[in-house]
Amino acid sequence: MPEATLNHTTAPSRRRFISRAAGVAAGGTVLALSAIAPASSATAPAASPDPVFGLIEAHRSASRILMSVVDEKHRRAQTLLAEGIGLHPFFVAVDFRGAPTIFYTHTQIDACPDLERPDQAHAGLDVAISRHSAIVGDIDSVIADASDVVDERFDALVSTAPTSASGLRALLSYILRDDDAPTTIDLSEDIDKLEALLNSIEGALDQIAPVGARETI
């Protein structure tokens, strides 16, 4: 899975798109919900059976974990740079003419016949690779696993229809405005997730305001 990046600068365009799409699906009923007191997406009303609140919190928790491990990767990258190792391990060797050459792999060293001390180059590269691995560790795998959890919980969130007006409001508020919402997911480019969200909104409206009742709004 590609490395997750948390780029909040892309969020406004995605949110505007979702706002328009949700408005089309919900019609006048979503506007009518504005008369209902706003509900916090962090806390479900007392004794509320609406599953969307738990799903929001599950996704929020996973998103915060993902952001924390991405921050940890950035911290480790800064350590690499501070120690002069670089984001990719390398070794600088000198050829017979005294010219320095950067090597990133042992294959590159073997392919260079002009090195004065190829054994030294191999040993130096091994040291750099070992130190690089010690600092980076398995952070990429941790990020991939955390990203998978975020995706799974987001799929569950958008695929579950809220059963209350406060739950529907919380879902829309979370996706459109919450800082912990999935800002790395562009629903305008993921039709399956967008369709699942719109179907959930429609399902919620069927429970909150059946078709006959909507026509009177």
Side-chain angles (χ1 to χ4, degrees):
M1 174 176 179
E3 175 185 323
T5 55
L6 302 180
N7 184 359
H8 288 265
T9 61
T10 63
S13 61
R14 178 186 66 80
R15 291 172 176 169
R16 285 195 295 271
F17 179 89
I18 297 302
S19 180
R20 290 196 297 270
V24 171
T29 304
V30 169
L31 297 178
L33 291 175
S34 61
I36 302 173
S40 169
S41 62
T43 306
S48 172
D50 196 327
V52 76
F53 291 98
L55 293 171
I56 287 173
E57 288 312 306
H59 183 269
R60 173 181 283 119
S61 175
S63 295
R64 287 177 174 174
I65 291 173
L66 175 58
M67 286 188 285
S68 69
V69 294
V70 169
D71 287 343
E72 173 60 17
K73 179 174 182 176
H74 292 164
R75 187 194 68 78
R76 296 185 186 190
Q78 290 302 313
T79 299
L80 291 173
L81 295 175
E83 293 192 10
I85 299 172
L87 299 181
H88 302 282
F90 66 91
F91 183 77
V92 179
V94 178
D95 61 21
F96 288 113
R97 296 179 299 276
T101 304
I102 299 176
F103 297 98
Y104 295 95
T105 68
H106 290 289
T107 300
Q108 290 176 333
I109 295 173
D110 291 334
C112 184
D114 295 332
L115 286 182
E116 186 173 354
R117 292 287 308 275
D119 57 331
Q120 186 181 65
H122 283 296
L125 182 58
D126 280 337
V127 170
I129 292 173
S130 177
R131 180 56 181 157
H132 184 278
S133 297
I135 294 173
V136 173
D138 62 348
I139 193 66
D140 287 331
S141 295
V142 174
I143 289 175
D145 290 343
S147 296
D148 288 342
V149 173
V150 170
D151 288 344
E152 290 169 4
R153 293 186 179 180
F154 185 63
D155 286 340
L157 176 61
V158 298
S159 301
T160 302
T163 59
S164 64
S166 57
L168 177 55
R169 177 178 290 281
L171 173 64
L172 294 175
S173 178
Y174 180 64
I175 291 178
L176 296 174
R177 288 181 288 278
D178 198 293
D179 288 340
D180 289 325
T183 54
T184 63
I185 299 175
D186 187 349
L187 294 183
S188 66
E189 297 181 358
D190 194 327
I191 301 303
D192 290 339
K193 285 184 172 61
L194 176 60
E195 184 177 2
L197 174 63
L198 296 179
N199 284 334
S200 293
I201 293 173
E202 183 180 41
L205 291 173
D206 286 341
Q207 297 187 66
I208 299 166
V211 174
R214 273 185 251 169
E215 292 173 352
T216 64
I217 293 176

